[in-house]
Amino acid sequence: MTTIKFDDYLEELKDEDFKAGYLIEKNILESAIALSNEEKKDVFRHPTSITHKIESYP
């Protein structure tokens, strides 16, 4: 994985193509985190649902 200095990163955000790609990826990651958090809440509301998921795993 390539590392980048934070100052260089901020400079990259000035490039509209880079910024557009960054914002798309950011939204995807934020959605995944929100979904994961909701799934965790669901497991605590319905503890048997995790057992069902484990048993039905191929």
Side-chain angles (χ1 to χ4, degrees):
M1 178 176 197
T2 305
T3 58
I4 185 171
K5 293 181 183 176
F6 190 69
D7 289 341
D8 293 340
Y9 171 73
L10 292 177
E11 197 63 35
E12 287 282 335
L13 282 177
K14 292 179 183 176
D15 177 11
E16 291 301 318
D17 289 335
F18 178 84
K19 186 175 181 178
Y22 164 79
L23 292 175
I24 290 169
E25 292 299 322
K26 180 179 177 260
N27 286 334
I28 292 169
L29 291 172
E30 287 176 344
S31 297
I33 290 169
L35 180 61
S36 175
N37 288 340
E38 287 302 312
E39 287 176 347
K40 288 177 186 175
K41 288 179 190 176
D42 189 47
V43 167
F44 290 117
R45 283 191 294 256
H46 308 286
T48 56
S49 67
I50 189 68
T51 304
H52 175 71
K53 289 179 184 177
I54 291 171
E55 289 173 353
S56 64
Y57 187 77

